[in-house]
Amino acid sequence: RCSRDWSSDVCSSDLCHGNICRSPLAEVLIEAAIAADQELAGRISVSSAGTSDEHVGEGMHPHSASVLRSRRLRTTHRARQYTPAVAATVDLVLAADRANLRHARALHAAADRHPEVRLLRDFDQSSIGQDLDDPWGEPIAAYERTATAILAAIPGLFSELRGRL
């Protein structure tokens, strides 16, 4: 269940451009970390979306899937676009970069519901204000670096979430 009342369950959405590389990586890595956390498990839902419609319905990029498979995490995914209907189901949006942050805020400006929008890397004290590099078109090592950057943000994100529950 998703609610703006932080005393109950929280839903977050990871947001990038096409929803095939960065945001599915973030969704699955954060989801796995939540499942392993006794305080947050069952209280936080995670999803992902893209600001573009160009990959809607596609699976995640093969390199993203490979990075997750190597960690024995799920690789099933279908890209979707971040729309007002999706925005209505989330409390917190974790944008991969400043362009997607602006896009989400513009979409919310015209909607009745205004989830909080933050850069994902703002939860890593050493990377505040930095974009999550887009590995699309790069070798698998770039996807590993993206996963490492996502993992570095999880402790700060969890600290924030615990403070809100």
Side-chain angles (χ1 to χ4, degrees):
R1 175 171 102 63
C2 300
S3 168
R4 290 293 293 173
D5 174 2
W6 286 102
S7 65
S8 61
D9 298 343
V10 176
C11 287
S12 72
S13 183
D14 301 298
L15 186 67
C16 73
H17 180 74
N19 193 219
I20 60 169
C21 297
R22 294 174 291 179
S23 57
L25 270 174
E27 174 186 352
V28 175
L29 291 170
I30 293 168
E31 176 183 83
I34 287 169
D37 185 284
Q38 291 182 347
E39 187 177 350
L40 299 178
R43 299 183 74 186
I44 309 289
S45 299
V46 183
S47 64
S48 64
T51 56
S52 167
D53 66 357
E54 66 187 276
H55 295 289
V56 169
E58 294 180 22
M60 72 177 70
H61 190 281
H63 288 338
S64 291
S66 180
V67 166
L68 294 170
R69 194 174 304 108
S70 73
R71 290 169 169 81
R72 293 186 170 90
L73 298 173
R74 83 171 163 84
T75 59
T76 56
H77 173 76
R78 286 291 162 241
R80 68 181 179 155
Q81 186 176 17
Y82 191 69
T83 63
V86 174
T89 67
V90 298
D91 301 303
L92 175 64
V93 177
L94 305 173
D97 57 42
R98 289 180 297 266
N100 289 298
L101 180 97
R102 285 189 301 274
H103 183 96
R105 287 182 174 159
L107 183 139
H108 299 158
D112 291 334
R113 185 160 157 92
H114 302 281
E116 182 178 355
V117 183
R118 307 257 310 263
L119 283 174
L120 173 61
R121 296 200 70 198
D122 280 355
F123 292 98
D124 175 359
Q125 289 298 310
S126 67
S127 302
I128 293 173
Q130 293 182 25
D131 290 345
L132 182 62
D133 290 336
D134 189 350
W136 190 86
E138 299 292 328
I140 196 162
Y143 289 76
E144 287 289 352
R145 285 190 301 274
T146 298
T148 298
I150 293 164
L151 291 169
I154 290 176
L157 173 62
F158 280 18
S159 177
E160 174 86 11
L161 293 173
R162 283 187 187 96
R164 293 179 182 212
L165 291 175

